[in-house]
Amino acid sequence: MNASNRSPAGDIEVSQNSPVRAVTETEVALFKENGWALLRGLVKPEFCKPLLELGKARMAGLTQADGAAAVPEEARKVLGIAGATGGKVTDIKQWVEWRGAVRSAREPDFCRVALAKVMGRNAQRLLGRDKPMRIYHDILTCKLPDNASTPTSFHQDATNFPLDRNVLTFWIALDEVAPNQGPVQFYSGSHRLGLLGGIPARERLDLTAEYPDLADLPLSPAHHLQPGDCTVHHGLVVHGASANSTARPRWSYLVSYFPADARYTGAPNLDTDGFELKIGHAIDHPSFAVVDE
Ligand SMILES: O=C(O)CCC(=O)C(=O)O
Ligand SMILES: [Fe+2]
């Protein structure tokens, strides 16, 4: 379909059958203004359920899903690698993650959501970029109960993406996430401050320490989310999360998208190293799935 005769939300028929709803014009405006937006009911809860079940099974025994106890210290290492096709489960201290349910595993239930046409259209509209969208990475996260996972320090994502233009991330609650379970919080408008620093290799950089003036910006509330509720954030917005102080794990699935015409900068990164990408060229590699238009 030609971009000029497409409705803002994309194909209506697709959006009715889609696991994902179209974002509203108000949500797009809020995203542009604040650098983030709360998208209630973005994913239909029945499509979140299998993702949660698969995530729990993938991390079985690692997350103490009954909330009984946290992962012991000796288990704080790479917990299991299922090979190139299965994605990777790791405890990265701020959460336990399964990276690559779509990128590596092409798990159909995850693809249904992350590669939904409406999702791609949403990313286009939020970023204001009418180009096909590719998935950069997708990560199912579990912030462990009882403060066992650390807080997520305040950071921008942009420095983690060796790309020459803007990206965004949808952070989808797969289960109820209460305010004291560490939902993501954002400094509203901080995306307009530009690039503030922090490279992936540097542990625990916290931008609020390096930029005390961030405190002048409104910090978004710790939202109470239901399965399928989502926050979406711009690659330049400063965000972080507190630890999960409850006895229940915090389950979420985050997916980052970039416009397919973005050029690769060559900066070292675990998501792009080893793929023989060409510096200065668009990323044209099947590992970075294109969302159907
Ligand atoms: O889940 C979190 O605690 C933070 C997530 C995050 O940093 C992101 O989605 O970019
Ligand atoms: Fe982030």
Side-chain angles (χ1 to χ4, degrees):
M1 187 184 284
N2 183 310
S4 59
N5 63 14
R6 184 164 54 189
S7 73
D11 188 302
I12 294 301
E13 196 186 336
V14 168
S15 67
Q16 276 167 358
N17 298 326
S18 174
V20 179
R21 72 167 172 82
V23 295
T24 66
E25 286 302 311
T26 305
E27 288 165 341
V28 173
L30 283 168
F31 177 84
K32 290 189 174 161
E33 173 68 18
N34 295 324
W36 67 275
L38 171 63
L39 309 173
R40 291 275 182 212
L42 181 76
V43 182
K44 293 180 185 145
E46 62 267 31
F47 289 91
C48 292
K49 212 165 165 228
L51 310 194
L52 179 59
E53 277 160 15
L54 287 161
K56 283 183 176 172
R58 193 71 174 73
M59 295 181 186
L62 307 176
T63 58
Q64 307 293 333
D66 59 358
V71 171
E73 194 57 36
E74 62 269 23
R76 290 197 169 284
K77 54 183 169 40
V78 174
L79 293 168
I81 301 172
T85 55
K88 187 174 166 182
V89 175
T90 318
D91 182 350
I92 63 161
K93 298 203 173 180
Q94 59 187 9
W95 59 59
V96 179
E97 67 175 34
W98 172 19
R99 190 176 274 252
V102 170
R103 246 199 87 171
S104 304
R106 289 291 191 273
E107 205 340 287
D109 290 307
F110 285 85
C111 290
R112 203 163 288 128
V113 171
L115 295 175
K117 285 185 188 187
V118 179
M119 200 64 154
R121 187 71 190 127
N122 285 343
Q124 290 178 337
R125 291 172 58 219
L126 290 160
L127 278 179
R129 190 82 185 134
D130 202 2
K131 297 284 175 191
M133 289 287 153
R134 282 186 185 267
I135 291 184
Y136 180 78
H137 59 203
D138 65 303
I139 310 169
L140 187 142
T141 80
C142 175
K143 222 184 230 308
L144 297 172
D146 302 323
N147 300 304
S149 296
T150 60
T152 308
S153 54
F154 279 89
H155 66 279
Q156 293 174 316
D157 294 337
T159 49
N160 286 311
F161 294 79
L163 295 170
D164 72 349
R165 60 201 69 189
N166 291 324
V167 299
L168 55 61
T169 299
F170 292 90
W171 192 101
I172 303 159
L174 296 183
D175 198 3
E176 183 179 356
V177 177
N180 54 357
Q181 286 186 287
V184 187
Q185 292 179 260
F186 311 90
Y187 280 101
S188 292
S190 54
H191 62 309
R192 276 182 260 115
L193 299 176
L195 205 52
L196 300 178
I199 57 168
R202 180 152 167 215
E203 281 248 16
R204 301 289 162 242
L205 170 120
D206 193 302
L207 289 177
T208 55
E210 299 209 1
Y211 294 87
D213 290 354
L214 277 170
D216 296 339
L217 293 174
L219 181 64
S220 71
H223 295 108
H224 195 147
L225 305 169
Q226 300 300 328
D229 287 348
C230 173
T231 52
V232 59
H233 60 273
H234 190 281
L236 283 170
V237 83
V238 178
H239 60 285
S242 54
N244 174 7
S245 62
T246 74
R248 291 176 54 244
R250 184 209 77 173
W251 293 101
S252 70
Y253 179 54
L254 63 92
V255 195
S256 301
Y257 297 84
F258 64 98
D261 61 341
R263 293 187 189 89
Y264 174 58
T265 66
N269 190 276
L270 70 92
D271 284 315
T272 43
D273 292 351
F275 287 88
E276 297 185 357
L277 306 175
K278 289 202 198 101
I279 295 174
H281 290 257
I283 292 184
D284 184 15
H285 191 288
S287 185
F288 301 83
V290 186
V291 186
D292 273 354
E293 286 203 286

